[in-house]
Structures are given as structure tokens and as C-alpha cells.
Amino acid sequence: MILDDEINLLDYLSNGKSTRHATLIDPEKQSPEEASMICQTAIEAGTDLILIGGSTTDKSSVDRTVEVIQETMELQHWASTQNGIFDEQKTTVPVLLFPNASSTLTNKSDGILFMSLLNGKSPKYIVEEQRKATEFIKNYNITTISTAYLIFEPGMKVGNVSNADLINTEDTDNIKSWIRLAEYFKFSILYLEAGSGAFPPLNEKIIKIAKNEYNGILFVGGGIRTPEQAREAVNGGANWIVTGNLIESFENYNLLKTKLKILIDNIKKPPDG
Ligand code: 1GP
């Protein structure tokens, strides 16, 4: 377990001094051991959160991946306390589930983004999967963070698999109404999703609308690969920028760290102007 019991997860997510970076790991895309190496590399590069999820993930891969990531973090943390680098190098960050279904939960994470796909076409991902998950959550006393999930065009695979009524990125009035829905329901997090690999990612204007209309913690993801794209999200007012694809193709861990560090340094710089 990474977070000290006294540190409240919601406080951790809301109290950043700057925009922060979350690393999304799809357990289907590599072995648990490789996933864990990627997480360590991302933490060294400055990531502040690990999200575990994918559109077609199954339970055993989620469970095992989270387990190995957590064990490795604990080992690293222990090692850092032994060699005196404790204060200089962060070794652990929270690991949260970003679930695709009620059947793929694990009790080994630090919590779950308890998401409702507000613009789903059927109740399945608005409330049904969530209702089915309640027994597991209750039995294992899992920390839930209420999260409104909105999928915009192009939506990519997650838009298809979830059968979302994709939000048109040009229709400002419609965008505002969806965002206000999250605000009036008082979701802790609003997650704006363009879909993995989306081009272009959500623009600054849309993120600014969300920042103006919604008072909670703002996550933005989908297609963000370059420092310039990340800066749009920072300037729009995102609290968290999520990247997934970026870590899926790399030649070695050193190059991955360099690439991620450049991106994360840009994310943590204050907004322009
Ligand atoms: C998470 O879908 C994103 O919100 C991840 O998108 O894989 O394009 O970074 P990428």
C-alpha cells in the first residue's frame, strides 16, 4: 500500500501545486513485470499517479499487474530508506483502478475511479456495471472516488466499446451542458476523454470551458503525446493529464524516461501568460 493511511486519496488528487501527470497502464499490453518497470521509469521521470485499465482488460491481468507494481514500489521504497535517497527521489505513487467493467476489479489497488460514463447510450456504463461492483467494493472496503467520464469525438476504441454518444467538439452549448451535469451531481473528478490515440487531442478551449463550469478535479486524456499538446491542456486548466500510448512504444527504459521527463516537466510548468 503506497499511501500512508493518514493521507487521504482525495486530498492527494486535489492538492497539486501544478498540473500533474498520470501514467495509464493497460494490463493487456505487457507482462506484469514489464508494467512494473514502466511504472518505476515513469515515477523517476516525475509521474504522480498510476492508473490501471483498458477497454478490453480481464480480471486476472489486472490483479497480477497491480500486485507486481505495488510489490516493486514497496521494495523500491524500502531500498530508498536504506541508502539515504529517501528525500530526493520519489519512489511511490498511488495506483488507482480505471475500470472497464465490474468483473475486472482487484483489491490490491489504492482505490478506484468509480466512474459513470455520463454520455453512455445505455445504462450499462452509466450505472449498471457500477451497481454490480458494489458488493466487491463493500467486501474489500475499497476507496472510491466518484468520477464523471465524458467521451468526446473521435472516441476511438473506448468510444466504440462503451457505445458512447460521443460529444461533438465544436458544439459549445452541448459541451457546457454535459460539464454542468458533472458539476451539479458534485462528482469529485471530471474526466474528459478523447480516446486513446485520438488526433487531435482535446483542445485548450474545451478544457477551459470545463474549468469554468466545473469546480472539482479535472482529468484530461486521449492522444496527448507531445509537450505542445500537453501545454494546451495545462493552459486550459487541467489538474491531471493522462497518457497511455506514449509508454507503449519505446526502445529502452532510459529513452522512455527521457521522453517522459520532457513531457512531465512541461506539464508541471505554470500555465503560459
Ligand atoms: C486515457 O485514453 C487516454 O484517458 C489515454 O490516451 O493512450 O492516447 O495517451 P493515450
Side-chain angles (χ1 to χ4, degrees):
M1 194 58 61
I2 304 316
L3 282 181
D4 200 297
D5 282 346
E6 280 142 44
I7 301 177
N8 178 290
L9 189 52
L10 205 48
D11 285 348
Y12 179 86
L13 294 173
S14 52
N15 286 344
K17 291 190 197 86
S18 64
T19 304
R20 285 179 284 171
H21 176 260
T23 299
L24 175 63
I25 302 272
D26 182 343
E28 299 296 306
K29 301 241 167 102
Q30 67 286 293
S31 70
E33 290 69 24
E34 281 165 337
S36 169
M37 281 294 290
I38 291 170
C39 288
Q40 285 304 316
T41 307
I43 293 170
E44 285 169 25
T47 202
D48 286 303
L49 185 65
I50 305 293
L51 295 178
I52 305 289
S55 320
T56 51
T57 316
D58 74 27
K59 181 174 171 59
S60 63
S61 63
V62 171
D63 208 59
R64 185 71 190 132
T65 297
V66 174
E67 183 172 61
V68 175
I69 289 172
Q70 295 280 39
E71 282 171 2
T72 311
M73 275 193 201
E74 278 169 33
L75 264 174
Q76 288 291 333
H77 184 65
W78 178 83
S80 72
T81 61
Q82 301 302 300
N83 63 19
I85 60 164
F86 184 64
D87 288 334
E88 288 145 44
Q89 176 62 60
K90 184 172 57 168
T91 48
T92 65
V93 299
V95 180
L96 298 184
L97 282 189
F98 178 57
N100 64 326
S102 56
S103 54
T104 58
L105 303 180
T106 172
N107 60 344
K108 300 187 174 86
S109 69
D110 296 307
I112 175 172
L113 296 187
F114 197 58
M115 307 196 298
S116 177
L117 172 58
L118 296 185
N119 60 322
K121 280 188 198 153
S122 85
K124 182 171 169 62
Y125 294 110
I126 305 175
V127 288
E128 275 181 4
E129 287 297 314
Q130 294 77 351
R131 184 184 58 75
K132 289 182 198 160
T134 55
E135 189 178 350
F136 188 90
I137 289 170
K138 177 78 180 174
N139 288 346
Y140 289 101
N141 194 22
I142 295 171
T143 303
T144 55
I145 308 283
S146 66
T147 303
Y149 193 47
L150 291 178
I151 308 182
F152 289 73
E153 289 174 340
M156 312 302 283
K157 189 171 174 189
V158 69
N160 270 326
V161 171
S162 66
N163 194 21
D165 186 11
L166 300 177
I167 301 173
N168 180 319
T169 53
E170 302 293 326
D171 188 346
T172 305
D173 288 340
N174 190 39
I175 293 170
K176 279 186 185 163
S177 67
W178 281 112
I179 289 166
R180 288 174 184 153
L181 191 61
E183 169 62 19
Y184 299 154
F185 269 121
K186 292 283 172 273
F187 281 95
S188 297
I189 291 175
L190 169 59
Y191 194 132
L192 307 180
E193 174 71 85
S196 182
F199 187 82
L202 291 173
N203 62 41
E204 183 178 331
K205 190 176 152 209
I206 294 173
I207 300 164
K208 264 196 177 132
I209 293 173
K211 198 65 188 172
N212 286 336
E213 301 288 344
Y214 171 74
N215 287 311
I217 308 163
L218 188 58
F219 276 59
V220 176
I224 299 172
R225 300 182 70 87
T226 66
E228 294 71 30
Q229 291 167 336
R231 291 300 298 165
E232 281 230 15
V234 171
N235 289 333
N239 299 109
W240 289 88
I241 292 173
V242 183
T243 68
N245 246 330
L246 197 67
I247 50 153
E248 283 164 18
S249 54
F250 61 94
E251 285 163 42
N252 65 56
Y253 289 108
N254 275 339
L255 286 179
L256 175 64
K257 183 173 162 185
T258 307
K259 191 162 75 166
L260 270 178
K261 187 161 176 1
I262 293 169
L263 185 83
I264 295 171
D265 286 350
N266 271 281
I267 286 174
K268 291 190 174 179
K269 275 194 269 176
D272 302 329

